[in-house]
Structure formats: structure tokens, C-alpha cells
Amino acid sequence: MLSGSTRVTSPDPPNVLILFTDDQGYGDLSSFGHPSIETPNIDRLGQEGMRLTSFVTGSWCVPSRTQLLTGRYMPRVDFGGGTGADGTGGLPASELTLAEALNEAGYRTGMAGKWHLGYKKDRFLPPNQGFDSWLGLPYSNDYVKPWVQTEEPLGMYRGTEMVEHPINQDSLTLRYTAEARRFIREHSGGDQPFFFYLAYNMPHLPIHTAERFRGQSSAGRYGDVIETIDWSVGQILDVLEQQGVAENTIVFFASDNGPWLDLPARMLQAGNKPWHQGTTGSLRGSKATTYEGGTRVPAFVRWPEHIAAGQTSDELVASPDIYRTLLEAGAAELPDHTLDGHNLLPWLQGDRSTSPRNQYAYVLRNTLEAMRIGPWKLRVAGDTTQLFNLQSDPAERFNRAPKHPERVSRMRRAMRRMADSLGVPVAGTRSTNGGS
């Protein structure tokens, strides 16, 4: 086990609730600047806790979920193959998932929603990765014809068994919400704390919502979908209050990555429209890029009486930190392999000098393409080198590499060290005056 661990020692360890959306953009919430989508329940998490405006994660589904549930950058994890439809890979037994660690620490664990970390073998599925229960889909909701040419059925799982096929995607958010509420009611007030992970399939394309929510948002169908998620969050916060466990429950909300703006042609059929997507607000890029619009997402953390209400922080925080922090809060044992997360507990609970994270590696398609150190971000792709100061230029409009060659050199060396640690190459470049 890792030494130097700082854990909360309490006779009453906190419950843990993670709410994780799919492809929701940085600018899709009222509190992050959307002018017409209304998200009072999600925004309430920031009013009663902390809003994180510089939270970063993986640039697409699998890396972001790997970081959240293992505390490690994806290249450190040997999946042995793909994890979408027809993929034969999955999380190996050598990884200690967040659910496994909390389960071993005495937590009851449950999940609803999208998995996407392996399904072909039962050992890859959530019930064999630390979750006592699971209702959901094994991967993204577009892994079905005509968007993906596969014969694999997209079905609903209960435990390790597919129990429903085909599925009505309109009802997914409602069903996941009901599952979360049931789990919380059943496991509140007992002698064990609980951990529940709700991984929404929405607003990943093709977007769906129930009839009762259609036309309710002035932002069109996409707005209806986001406001359905907001309703879901409200329902879950309400049941925490009803069960008397809200005060001692850590609630973390984030998206897995930015919106899917640069759509492949395969997705623009069967009812999908280019405007059925979110917004990155002022940020550049989108899903599957290493610009901030692909990796910086809206995030909140609430823990009454431990995290002061009404805070906003632009300190750098990343999804591996959530893994490490929740294990510390739950007095769980840490794995004896390399973790990429930091314990945020002292910072969240009042030691506000600075977040313990000072750097972040942006890995895309098994290549280290960018790295942030402090406010500076170096990005290399193709024949361009770009240096941005994310404090003064979060939209990454102004390439400052030509004016800071020494900083570029230092950051390149840091990238090489990180790439060596991860076992991946650094993206190549041939100039220092590429596009801005």
C-alpha cells in the first residue's frame, strides 16, 4: 500500500454519490453560462458546495472513465482490446476500481448507467469490478445500426445478464434515476455507508428523453435532454434529504468529456442533427481533441459541513484526483501501483493555498499530445507547437510558443518524462510557430 496516506478518521464515514454525464459540454449549464438551458438542481451543488471551473478529464469515453474509476491515466491500464460493441478487452484484475476499494472498506456499492470498460467476459462487468448491483448499458448508446455497423445487440443489463433487448432509450434517464433512488433508500440508515455511481448515457448522440420532458426547454431537443438530467439530479438530491443522509454524503458531478462537435458522417443520419449537441462555451475544441473544449468539463463537489458552500475555484483538478480523494474519505486502502491522482481533502476542507495538482497530461489515441504545468499548456500536434496561458487565455486563442522558447523546451522535457512513465510517445512537431 502507498505510504503517506491522509484519511478521514470518522466513526461515520461519508456516503459517496457520483453523477457522470456523457458528452455534456462546458457551456451546457446555467451556472456555466448557457443562456437558455435551465439547470437549477445541478447548479445547486455549486451553491451548496464548490463549483470547479478548471476540472479536466479524458478527451473521450474510455479514458475519462478509466481515470475516474482507477485513478490512472489510460495507458497504464492493459485492457487487452476494445471495450465497445464487439470489443474483447476490459479492466484487468490488477486494477483496483473505486467500487472495489470502497467495497473492501465496508461500503455497499451500486451503479446505474453506461459502463464502457469491457463486457465480453463476465469478469469485465460492474458486478465483478466491485459493484454489488448494476442496471445499465455496457457501452455507448450509439453502438447500434445505422451508426455503428455491428450485429451485437444493444441491451439493458441487470447484473451480468442482458435482461432487455431492444431498449427504449427515451426512458433511460428515468430508469437510472429510479434505480439510484431505490438504492439510496435501501442503504440509508444502516451500519454500512454506500457508494452509488450514476453514469448517464445522455446527452451522447443519439439524444433521447421521455415524452413528458419534450418541448420543455427553450433550447430545443438538446435542452430538453439536459433539463431531464437536471430533473434527475433533483430527484436524487431529494431522496438524500428524505433519508436524512444528505449532510454526510459526498456528491460529485461532472461530464466525461466535451461535446462531440466534429461529428463523423456516420452519426448524421437516422434523426441526428448537428444541433443535437452541446457547447464548449468560450473554450476551443471538442470531444476527441486535446484542446480545453475536449477535456475541461463542468464539475461540482458537495459535502455539507466539510466543504464550505458557495465556492468557485479555478484551480486545476483532474478526474484521477476524485478516485484518490474518495478512497481517502472512505478510509479505503490504496493500491500498490502508480496512481495519477492527488488527495484533495485538505484543500476541499479549507486549506485553500492551492490545489495539490500542478500538472496534467493530455493523452489522445495513446500519444501524449499536450501537457499543462501551472497556468501554461504546451500542445504539439502534427507540425505545430502551441503554448497557451490558460489563466489569461482559457479559450486557447493566442499561441505564445514563439515568444517563450525556453519555457517550451522545459515543458517538452517534462512531456518526455511523463511519456516515458506512461509508455507512450510524444506527438511529433517540426516547428514552433504553428497555428494560433
Side-chain angles (χ1 to χ4, degrees), residues 62-77:
V62 180
S64 64
R65 290 157 208 279
T66 301
Q67 291 183 179
L68 179 69
L69 293 179
T70 72
R72 283 149 63 82
Y73 291 120
M74 186 173 170
R76 297 198 196 279
V77 181

Side-chain angles (χ1 to χ4, degrees), residues 23 123 294:
D23 287 7
R123 61 187 172 90

Side-chain angles (χ1 to χ4, degrees), residues 185-341:
R185 285 195 300 267
E186 289 183 2
H187 298 293
S188 296
D191 57 359
Q192 291 179 277
F194 65 78
F195 163 47
F196 195 84
Y197 171 43
L198 200 172
Y200 297 95
N201 281 100
M202 298 297 131
H204 193 293
L205 285 169
I207 56 173
H208 286 269
T209 190
E211 179 69 32
R212 59 187 280 200
F213 293 103
R214 296 176 197 166
Q216 297 302 302
S217 168
S218 62
R221 185 179 297 181
Y222 187 85
D224 293 342
V225 170
I226 298 299
E227 291 189 8
T228 307
I229 294 172
D230 185 73
W231 164 86
S232 170
V233 172
Q235 291 289 299
I236 293 166
L237 296 182
D238 285 350
V239 79
L240 293 177
E241 294 283 355
Q242 293 161 9
Q243 297 299 125
V245 296
E247 294 300 306
N248 198 35
T249 298
I250 300 173
V251 180
F252 173 72
F253 176 98
S255 175
D256 66 340
N257 47 252
W260 200 5
L261 299 182
D262 188 15
L263 288 172
R266 69 178 176 85
M267 290 307 299
L268 289 174
Q269 55 179 325
N272 285 348
K273 304 296 183 183
W275 51 88
H276 288 172
Q277 307 161 79
T279 172
T280 62
S282 63
L283 302 180
R284 181 177 182 176
S286 59
K287 175 180 176 176
T289 74
T290 53
Y291 288 114
E292 291 298 285
T295 59
R296 190 187 297 208
V297 296
F300 305 87
V301 59
R302 186 188 80 169
W303 188 11
E305 299 183 2
H306 292 267
I307 299 173
Q311 300 181 76
T312 294
S313 175
D314 67 352
E315 292 283 347
L316 179 62
V317 177
S319 47
D321 302 332
I322 303 305
Y323 173 94
R324 176 69 180 268
T325 301
L326 293 178
L327 292 197
E328 300 281 5
E333 295 293 328
L334 304 179
D336 59 4
H337 54 224
T338 300
L339 291 178
D340 295 301

Side-chain angles (χ1 to χ4, degrees), residues 420-434:
D420 289 345
S421 172
L422 297 175
V424 300
V426 177
T429 181
R430 295 192 296 274
S431 73
T432 60
N433 58 358

Side-chain angles (χ1 to χ4, degrees), residues 69-259:
L69 293 179
T70 72
R72 283 149 63 82
Y73 291 120
M74 186 173 170
R76 297 198 196 279
V77 181
D78 183 8
F79 281 87
T83 59
D86 303 308
T88 58
L91 276 175
S94 57
E95 296 301 320
L96 182 69
T97 71
L98 180 58
E100 287 173 325
L102 290 177
N103 195 277
E104 291 173 5
Y107 279 68
R108 299 302 304 269
T109 58
M111 178 184 172
K114 172 180 171 178
W115 178 237
H116 216 146
L117 296 177
Y119 78 101
K120 274 288 189 180
K121 298 179 180 177
D122 284 357
R123 61 187 172 90
F124 295 147
L125 289 169
N128 292 311
Q129 297 287 346
F131 290 97
D132 297 325
S133 65
W134 172 51
L135 175 75
L137 305 188
Y139 36 71
S140 297
N141 63 317
D142 66 326
Y143 277 89
V144 63
K145 292 180 178 179
W147 304 294
V148 174
Q149 297 307 304
T150 177
E151 300 300 326
E152 192 81 332
L154 177 65
M156 181 72 73
Y157 279 68
R158 169 70 73 180
T160 59
E161 300 295 326
M162 185 186 296
V163 296
E164 185 179 329
H165 172 260
I167 57 170
N168 175 10
Q169 293 203 30
D170 290 349
S171 66
L172 285 177
T173 299
L174 275 66
R175 296 178 68 179
Y176 295 161
T177 304
E179 182 75 3
R181 286 171 58 88
R182 178 198 63 77
F183 183 93
I184 292 168
R185 285 195 300 267
E186 289 183 2
H187 298 293
S188 296
D191 57 359
Q192 291 179 277
F194 65 78
F195 163 47
F196 195 84
Y197 171 43
L198 200 172
Y200 297 95
N201 281 100
M202 298 297 131
H204 193 293
L205 285 169
I207 56 173
H208 286 269
T209 190
E211 179 69 32
R212 59 187 280 200
F213 293 103
R214 296 176 197 166
Q216 297 302 302
S217 168
S218 62
R221 185 179 297 181
Y222 187 85
D224 293 342
V225 170
I226 298 299
E227 291 189 8
T228 307
I229 294 172
D230 185 73
W231 164 86
S232 170
V233 172
Q235 291 289 299
I236 293 166
L237 296 182
D238 285 350
V239 79
L240 293 177
E241 294 283 355
Q242 293 161 9
Q243 297 299 125
V245 296
E247 294 300 306
N248 198 35
T249 298
I250 300 173
V251 180
F252 173 72
F253 176 98
S255 175
D256 66 340
N257 47 252

